[in-house]
Amino acid sequence: MQTKAQPRIGISALAVHEPSWALSNSWFNGMPRKFAQHTGIESRFVASEDEVGLAWQAVRKLQGEFGCNLRDCAALVFVSPSFVPMTQAHQHLSDELARRERTRRAARQVARRLGLSNCSVTAVNWFCSGYPRALSQVTQRILPKIKLQSHQFVLVVTASKISRITDYGCPQTAGLFGDLSTATLIARTDSREYPVHFELLHAAAERRPTSAPYFNFELRKDVITPTSDGGQSSEAERLVFSLDGMGIADAAPRAMAGALEGALAATGIAKEDVRYVLPHQAGAAIVRLAAMKMEQLGIAGEVINGLTRQVGNVSSSSVPFGLKKHWSQLRGLVACPTAAVGSPGRSEVLQGCILLRATALHERNVVAVA
């Protein structure tokens, strides 16, 4: 939660970059029959560019749609779930390849490509909870250092390319994730240059213990990969993620409900004040279970579900993607809880939540559109 000494901030604009290549369920051999029913996923994007290129595309989209001037950017936060943590990178990869997995290195590359030479640069990899983690870094660490001016903004860019660490021959995990990038412009609520549509009331993310680890990395041989013409190729060796799908599917709904309840308690906001809940879109069934857990806690806001159909689980891009898709619908208090696997091999989940309130400007625009 923001302190009184800091300026009030919020989201002024959002942009989404969707890669041009989509991979449908029909490509996969051996996909479980109930996969689409449980996850809601029918296709997902596979990016040809790397995470730096994806981030650049999202920011250019933001500039084209919103007209922001990058000279006003006071800080860049680069968020990506698809970099291999350094412990696993050094364990499985050569020194040269391991260096390429440094999220901080990629963040600096994004800044250079955008021409951001005089702003703070932060890198975040908290998997599917990367977005609330990034916003908590903005409020708790970045704002006190940069002294954000009314004409300036903070850029939070998410870039997911989980396709490069996916084993497309594994029926349990191959179809879950999609590549995507987003750019969020955060400004002061008194900014005239970048008027805020959703004030940020709260952002937090934390680790919570579990009975077993749900996530790790493995070096596999002869890994099937898709090609853009609908065919397939193979890699002699690829470092890929492994996932206990049943375990995280059981833990994630509780984690998201708990994160939201904790956010409300921290801010003193009443449960009945929540108008919309936009959870991390881990899959249709997981979101349905999360909604049930929230209802049991007395949180009855309208839960948004079903955003995975054409994009898959887009990890840390999920919440900003959902905000963009429902921008003209959202009003009042909007809660965005997330849940993610923990560090590889560790018995934990990463959960987070942001609370947003539509500003008078946004409410007027919604009424005008209606």
Side-chain angles (χ1 to χ4, degrees):
M1 187 167 53
Q2 299 173 53
T3 65
K4 292 182 179 179
Q6 296 172 12
R8 293 162 55 194
I9 61 171
I11 297 174
S12 298
L14 274 163
V16 173
H17 168 65
E18 298 178 350
S20 58
W21 170 26
L23 191 67
S24 71
N25 288 355
S26 62
W27 181 89
F28 295 87
N29 293 319
M31 177 173 280
R33 288 184 300 171
K34 294 186 177 180
F35 176 84
Q37 177 184 343
H38 288 164
T39 65
I41 301 170
E42 296 178 2
S43 67
R44 73 285 297 144
F45 291 112
V46 179
S48 57
E49 60 265 72
D50 63 9
E51 291 90 345
V52 173
L54 285 167
W56 182 84
Q57 293 278 13
V59 175
R60 289 307 185 203
K61 193 82 172 288
L62 182 71
Q63 288 183 289
E65 294 177 354
F66 191 63
C68 59
N69 188 336
L70 291 184
R71 287 179 295 182
D72 295 333
C73 183
L76 169 69
V77 185
F78 174 72
V79 187
S80 180
S82 48
F83 285 87
V84 180
M86 294 312 298
T87 301
Q88 283 68 37
H90 285 301
Q91 179 182 346
H92 296 290
L93 302 174
S94 67
D95 289 344
E96 180 183 352
L97 292 178
R99 282 194 294 272
R100 298 179 187 177
E101 298 298 333
R102 295 184 182 276
T103 315
R104 175 72 178 173
R105 173 178 177 268
R108 291 194 295 264
Q109 290 177 335
V110 173
R112 284 197 296 270
R113 189 164 180 183
L114 292 171
L116 301 176
S117 57
N118 297 313
C119 75
S120 165
V121 178
T122 303
V124 173
N125 183 356
W126 261 51
F127 305 108
C128 295
S129 286
Y131 195 65
R133 175 67 173 177
L135 295 189
S136 71
Q137 293 285 296
V138 171
T139 59
Q140 296 169 20
R141 295 187 179 183
I142 296 174
L143 283 185
K145 292 180 180 179
I146 65 173
K147 298 180 180 177
L148 189 70
Q149 303 300 304
S150 62
H151 69 281
Q152 295 178 312
F153 59 81
V154 175
L155 206 53
V156 177
V157 183
T158 69
S160 173
K161 188 180 168 67
I162 295 179
S163 61
R164 73 178 181 90
I165 52 172
T166 295
D167 180 353
Y168 281 94
C170 176
Q172 286 75 37
T173 60
L176 290 176
F177 292 94
D179 298 344
L180 196 91
S181 59
T182 71
T184 305
L185 190 151
I186 297 174
R188 288 171 39 159
T189 55
D190 62 352
S191 175
R192 293 185 178 182
E193 289 84 356
Y194 306 106
V196 167
H197 283 254
F198 294 97
E199 182 177 358
L200 179 61
L201 305 180
H202 177 86
E206 62 179 345
R207 301 177 187 270
R208 302 287 289 185
T210 60
S211 59
Y214 301 133
F215 175 67
N216 217 324
F217 282 89
E218 299 175 7
L219 198 60
R220 295 180 184 170
K221 297 184 181 297
D222 301 320
V223 176
I224 296 172
T225 59
T227 58
S228 58
D229 61 0
Q232 67 179 43
S233 182
S234 66
E235 293 183 12
E237 194 173 68
R238 174 181 267 204
L239 185 58
V240 300
F241 73 90
S242 60
L243 187 69
D244 177 359
M246 295 294 290
I248 192 62
D250 178 65
R254 293 195 305 273
M256 286 195 275
L260 175 49
E261 184 179 40
L264 295 175
T267 55
I269 295 173
K271 295 177 180 179
E272 55 268 23
D273 288 344
V274 177
R275 185 159 183 177
Y276 290 96
V277 180
L278 174 59
H280 163 55
Q281 302 288 300
I286 290 178
V287 174
R288 285 195 296 268
L289 290 172
M292 292 171 60
K293 297 293 184 185
M294 294 171 201
E295 188 174 358
Q296 291 170 5
L297 294 173
I299 302 167
E302 180 179 339
V303 178
I304 295 173
N305 195 359
L307 297 181
T308 57
R309 183 181 176 190
Q310 300 298 327
V311 299
N313 179 342
V314 291
S315 192
S316 55
S317 294
S318 174
V319 168
F321 172 74
L323 290 171
K324 179 65 174 180
K325 289 297 180 182
H326 289 271
W327 186 267
S328 298
Q329 171 191 342
L330 298 173
R331 303 180 66 178
L333 188 73
V334 182
C336 305
T338 66
V341 296
S343 298
R346 293 183 62 174
S347 300
E348 64 181 14
V349 292
L350 308 179
Q351 65 184 50
C353 189
I354 63 173
L355 299 178
L356 304 168
R357 178 176 286 128
T359 62
L361 167 68
H362 187 80
E363 296 281 1
R364 288 196 300 270
N365 287 353
V366 170
V367 171
V369 170

